[in-house]
Amino acid sequence: MEMQCNSVLTSLHGHQTPTLKGMVQKLDQKLPVANEYLLLSGGVREGVVDLDLDELNVYARGTDYDMDFTLLVPALKLHDRNQPVTLDMRHSALCHSWLSLRLFDEGTISKWKDCCTIVDHINGATNYFFSPTKVADWFHDSISIVLSEIQKKPQRGMPKVEKVEKNGTIISIILGVGSSRMLYDIVPVVSFKGWPAVAQSWLMENHFWDGKITEEEVISGFYLVPACSYKGKKDNEWRLSFARSEVQLKKCISSSLMQAYQACKAIIIKLLSRPKAISPYHLRSMMLWACDRLPANYLAQEDYAAHFLLGLIDDLQHCLVNKMCPNYFIPQCNMLEHLSEETVMLHARKLSSVRSDPAEHLRTAIEHVKAANRLTLELQRRGSTTSIPSPQSDGGDPNQPDDRLAKKLQQLVTENPGKSISVFINPDDVTRPHFRIDDKFF
């Protein structure tokens, strides 16, 4: 589920409650009054947004929460540009930018200057740069004040606040609704209507979604999220995010490829998390590249999820060894170029182990999912009988890997000893390269 909403934690599963964000806005009127939030199914740890995961505390489904969401909350908005949006990337790596408040009116500067770093120029002018770390600190403090007030005066039907934690620039809240626990990773962002100039050339290429959705749907807007590059300045640098576009692109991806992606993510999410190297967002990017490279009729085959899973593992290995994973929207940005040879070889060995017996690794991942589901059901049985239905209690999540896929994997590996079955290569045309960056192929 991905949705845009004008209020959040309002009408939460049928409960009419004051909006948390509305109450934060009333504290000091910093947030835009008419705001539009993007609610994404899956927490930040699931790779729904390109954020750094090494600063996040570890939460486990079943033990800590039952359902997870990511909520993008615009602190600032820039609207209705008829030309490509040009960002200040002079101080940043590709896919990153500083944001000067000179783009905004005096009222906005006055409101937010305590969340800025200040640069004085020789000519005497002062430039305020919107600071992701200071904005995150303000947001956490504000949410903590509001939640404290809510807990002092609990209202009937109000979700119970079980945990509030600041993880880097993300605020994680776990709410009890009935006997279910909902994890919300809340991310303060800057919202733009339009499309960034740095990604303009991407629109000139052919893509898998051509003719399925309109260009207007894909390029309706983008975000700056609070994350910096490997050598960037944390206090000033924001990362470009195309989460709004990815919601639209997901509609065009075949169910069998999505099943393979979910299964691959379940296998690698913990295996490759330490030391920091591959995140679920990297895997998502590789899947989008696959959709651009392969014939639609091949990807649409319903019984090919096992082929696609092996392909994703193969190409993950290829990307690791070559330290090359282009950002889907800004392909000149290589998201793995900072990795050390030691980290690459460590993870490449782990992936080789997975590739040698993928079915066993998938079965282990499936058992973890089942164990989490059992924990959730047990907690719900002990709790309220009026709990909201969870994905685990109504027949299982259709996106979760199952035993049939593991059996198919085992069969494929047995029948094709030593062969690489790559999702990025048409089985009938093994000459096709993996990635295009500008006019070059890799």
Side-chain angles (χ1 to χ4, degrees):
M1 175 186 74
E2 286 90 5
M3 59 183 287
Q4 292 178 20
C5 47
N6 292 323
S7 58
V8 72
L9 310 188
T10 62
S11 307
L12 182 57
H13 306 285
H15 299 289
Q16 294 295 330
T17 63
T19 82
L20 179 61
K21 301 302 160 299
M23 294 172 76
V24 169
Q25 198 280 330
K26 286 178 184 174
L27 277 181
D28 51 15
Q29 283 77 51
K30 273 183 161 67
L31 291 181
V33 177
N35 217 350
E36 186 182 76
Y37 310 109
L38 186 66
L39 182 64
L40 303 167
S41 179
V44 165
R45 295 159 189 78
E46 296 290 318
V48 296
V49 181
D50 183 15
L51 286 166
D52 300 320
L53 306 183
D54 52 341
E55 293 184 323
L56 300 187
N57 289 335
V58 176
Y59 299 152
R61 185 186 296 272
T63 304
D64 300 303
Y65 66 90
D66 305 309
M67 285 182 270
D68 54 334
F69 302 91
T70 298
L71 182 68
L72 305 188
V73 179
L76 289 174
K77 298 193 296 182
L78 279 171
H79 280 294
D80 300 326
R81 296 294 187 96
N82 294 320
Q83 66 274 359
V85 180
T86 302
L87 297 165
D88 184 358
M89 297 180 160
R90 292 169 299 169
H91 314 286
S92 306
L94 276 165
C95 280
H96 297 82
S97 176
W98 290 25
L99 182 67
S100 169
L101 289 194
R102 284 187 299 187
L103 296 167
F104 298 87
D105 58 53
E106 285 299 323
T108 301
I109 294 173
S110 175
K111 240 191 286 191
W112 283 106
K113 63 184 179 183
D114 58 333
C115 290
C116 292
T117 57
I118 299 170
V119 176
D120 291 317
H121 291 283
I122 298 170
N123 63 9
T126 299
N127 201 350
Y128 294 96
F129 286 100
F130 206 42
S131 168
T133 52
K134 292 187 177 185
V135 170
D137 288 343
W138 165 81
F139 200 41
H140 175 256
D141 292 346
S142 299
I143 285 179
S144 299
I145 290 168
V146 166
L147 289 176
S148 175
E149 289 301 312
I150 289 173
Q151 287 171 311
K152 283 179 191 172
K153 302 172 184 175
Q155 297 178 24
R156 182 180 174 82
M158 181 72 76
K160 180 188 174 188
V161 180
E162 298 198 356
K163 184 177 286 188
V164 182
E165 281 190 336
K166 184 169 176 285
N167 291 292
T169 53
I170 298 157
I171 295 89
S172 297
I173 300 178
I174 296 178
L175 298 177
V177 183
S179 60
S180 290
R181 297 152 302 162
M182 324 281 283
L183 167 62
Y184 289 91
D185 286 325
I186 304 177
V187 186
V189 300
V190 180
S191 174
F192 292 83
K193 294 289 186 186
W195 197 247
V198 69
Q200 199 68 16
S201 61
W202 178 80
L203 296 175
M204 304 298 110
E205 307 289 353
N206 295 323
H207 297 290
F208 73 98
W209 48 267
D210 294 338
K212 297 176 183 175
I213 52 177
T214 66
E215 186 174 286
E216 287 70 29
E217 288 176 284
V218 175
I219 66 169
S220 62
F222 67 99
Y223 298 99
L224 294 180
V225 297
C228 74
S229 59
Y230 181 62
K231 293 182 178 178
K233 194 172 180 183
K234 281 189 174 184
D235 286 346
N236 283 354
E237 198 169 81
W238 298 78
R239 180 174 297 161
L240 273 78
S241 168
F242 299 91
R244 194 192 300 257
S245 303
E246 288 164 0
V247 168
Q248 301 299 326
L249 298 185
K250 190 175 173 183
K251 299 173 185 175
C252 306
I253 298 174
S254 70
S255 58
S256 51
L257 182 53
M258 279 305 300
Q259 186 185 11
Y261 164 73
Q262 295 291 350
C264 192
K265 186 172 70 170
I267 292 170
I268 71 150
I269 199 165
K270 289 182 180 174
L271 185 73
L272 304 186
S273 61
R274 295 288 184 272
K276 181 188 170 188
I278 295 290
S279 78
Y281 188 81
H282 294 133
L283 188 64
R284 177 184 282 227
S285 300
M286 292 172 203
M287 177 177 65
L288 292 172
W289 280 115
C291 293
D292 268 3
R293 293 294 168 264
L294 282 175
N297 59 354
Y298 173 62
L299 286 176
Q301 296 183 81
E302 292 184 3
D303 58 344
Y304 265 44
H307 291 75
F308 298 155
L309 174 51
L310 288 178
L312 284 171
I313 295 170
D314 289 343
D315 216 74
L316 201 51
Q317 185 77 290
H318 173 88
C319 289
L320 254 180
V321 171
N322 290 283
K323 292 200 287 188
M324 171 61 71
C325 181
N327 181 286
Y328 181 67
F329 299 92
I330 307 175
Q332 58 271 35
C333 171
N334 174 14
M335 298 187 289
L336 296 183
E337 67 180 351
H338 63 276
L339 293 184
S340 69
E341 292 297 329
E342 184 183 10
T343 299
V344 164
M345 293 314 297
L346 173 65
H347 287 312
R349 281 193 288 270
K350 290 180 183 177
L351 265 184
S352 294
S353 169
V354 171
R355 188 60 177 82
S356 65
D357 192 358
E360 185 56 35
H361 281 83
L362 182 58
R363 287 192 181 101
T364 301
I366 290 167
E367 284 307 311
H368 287 157
V369 171
K370 287 180 177 177
N373 292 350
R374 285 193 294 270
L375 263 177
T376 294
L377 289 170
E378 179 60 30
L379 286 167
Q380 288 181 346
R381 274 195 289 268
R382 292 180 195 168
S384 167
T385 56
T386 58
S387 67
I388 59 168
S390 77
Q392 291 78 23
S393 62
D394 61 2
D397 185 344
N399 284 329
Q400 294 293 354
D402 61 24
D403 294 295
R404 288 168 296 179
L405 182 56
K407 288 174 183 172
K408 179 68 175 173
L409 264 182
Q410 189 65 57
Q411 181 186 344
L412 265 182
V413 173
T414 304
E415 291 175 358
N416 297 276
K419 290 184 181 176
S420 175
I421 308 170
S422 177
V423 69
F424 294 93
I425 299 173
N426 183 342
D428 302 319
D429 178 12
V430 295
T431 63
R432 297 193 75 189
H434 289 250
F435 297 119
R436 179 180 63 223
I437 301 178
D438 296 330
D439 295 326
K440 296 180 181 177
F441 289 84
F442 295 85

